[in-house]
Amino acid sequence: MEFGDLVVDALSFSFEFGDEVVADELLAGGATWAAGPLAALDASEVAIVCVIDADAVDAILDRALAESDHHQLPTTTLVNLTSEGPGRTRQLATRAESLGVAYLDGSIMTPAAAIGTEATRILYSGPADLFDRHRQTLAALGGTAVHLGTDPGRAASFDVALLNLFWSSITGLMHSFALAARQHVPATALAPHARQMAQLVADLLPGLAAEIDAGGFSGEGSSSLTSVAASLEHIVHALEEAEVSAAVTRAAKEVVDAAVSAGHGADSPTRLAEFLSRDRAGGHPPTRHTDRDAVGQADPSPSAGDRLL
């Protein structure tokens, strides 16, 4: 299937939401206009939807049902690339399956402009046989596709965690640029040093992840949380002195202070992952899964736990 053919099915849903510029471009490239969601679902063995949120996907299914004389949907596979939380995604999967529609969830890890190029990276979860059956069709989206496991919410779990990392990092970077600017340091002067700092974090990441999964939080050989709290206090003071909002850094310090107060002052910063994952009543974090197919792999390189196109 050519990429243009795939877009017909994928975006005929989103046409309902009025992006006429995109629609005109696709139609000019040979795409076919779908009369509505039901026609789009009936057009192929696989239909791709990528809209604003899960409520929009539900609205699409509702309209397709309303368009059906028998209030039934075509037997097809719905590949949902809409960004949503894992719980809501599982609800969508359950609803789709109750309507006789096979469901495969996906999370796009690259900008929209990358779709159709080798830079594309999409994480999928849901029945492995669906992923295998439609891998050639999905390959038209370009780049790399990774199947993380059978739980339909698994890709969304990776998505929100990685987006949290991305936007926390971007926010932190802008915060640092703002602090530097108050000291008459241009962003371009700070940027090379910020890049080295980011590389340090990237280099540390595999070891930190291994330490977290192993449940070893010893502060030996690394900064203790007590030391981290003191460093954050220093940064908060510098921000306030420069008249830059310290709210974000203060919030981070409050988490560290809480962990120290809970008796973890001598532990390494990796203790925060376990501490933050506890339930609100202060209990233990969720039990770790051992099924690799259900858990998938965080490492972006191919492994035995990932199913790649």
Side-chain angles (χ1 to χ4, degrees):
M1 178 180 287
E2 295 297 321
F3 183 61
D5 296 331
L6 179 63
V7 173
V8 175
D9 298 332
L11 294 189
S12 51
F13 289 114
S14 60
F15 291 164
E16 304 297 323
F17 294 83
D19 194 339
E20 296 182 0
V21 174
V22 173
D24 289 344
E25 290 177 356
L26 294 174
L27 292 172
T32 302
W33 186 282
L38 182 63
L41 282 170
D42 200 32
S44 175
E45 292 183 355
V46 56
I48 300 177
V49 58
C50 185
V51 289
I52 187 65
D53 57 22
D55 289 343
V57 180
D58 267 332
I60 288 167
L61 294 176
D62 288 341
R63 181 163 174 179
L65 283 170
E67 293 171 351
S68 171
D69 292 337
H70 304 289
H71 297 287
Q72 293 180 338
L73 297 183
T75 301
T76 187
T77 295
L78 179 65
V79 179
N80 181 24
L81 300 182
T82 301
S83 184
E84 190 54 83
R88 188 70 173 88
T89 297
R90 294 183 183 105
Q91 291 175 354
L92 274 177
T94 299
R95 187 190 182 197
E97 290 164 3
S98 73
L99 296 172
V101 175
Y103 183 93
L104 189 67
D105 198 73
S107 295
I108 301 171
M109 296 287 100
T110 44
I115 297 298
T117 73
E118 287 302 309
T120 302
R121 183 173 180 81
I122 303 178
L123 308 180
Y124 292 96
S125 60
D129 63 315
L130 290 182
F131 179 76
D132 291 337
R133 187 185 313 161
H134 300 300
R135 60 171 61 224
Q136 275 192 305
T137 300
L138 297 176
L141 293 171
T144 303
V146 184
H147 185 255
L148 297 172
T150 57
D151 171 14
R154 179 60 59 179
S157 298
F158 276 62
D159 184 38
V160 293
L162 292 170
L163 286 175
N164 180 57
L165 169 63
F166 179 79
W167 289 117
S168 296
S169 300
I170 292 296
T171 303
L173 180 60
M174 296 306 109
H175 203 199
S176 295
F177 280 149
L179 177 58
R182 294 292 291 178
Q183 304 300 327
H184 309 290
V185 176
T188 51
L190 186 67
H193 304 280
R195 184 171 184 172
Q196 290 180 349
M197 186 71 75
Q199 185 60 54
L200 173 61
V201 173
D203 292 342
L204 290 172
L205 197 156
L208 297 176
E211 185 176 331
I212 291 166
D213 282 352
F217 307 111
S218 171
E220 295 181 10
S222 66
S223 298
S224 68
L225 285 178
T226 299
S227 175
V228 172
S231 179
L232 288 172
E233 178 62 33
H234 161 69
I235 298 169
V236 167
H237 176 74
L239 286 164
E240 292 175 339
E241 186 176 64
E243 298 183 346
V244 174
S245 173
V248 173
T249 309
R250 190 179 291 108
K253 185 178 183 302
E254 288 174 359
V255 172
V256 174
D257 287 343
V260 172
S261 296
H264 303 303
D267 290 349
S268 73
T270 53
R271 168 61 75 178
L272 294 177
E274 183 275 336
F275 184 74
L276 287 168
S277 68
R278 296 177 186 177
D279 60 45
R280 293 181 181 180
H284 294 290
T287 302
R288 295 183 185 278
H289 293 283
T290 56
D291 181 359
R292 285 179 63 87
D293 183 57
V295 175
Q297 278 289 114
D299 190 313
S301 59
S303 75
D306 291 334
R307 301 170 66 87
L308 304 177
L309 284 183

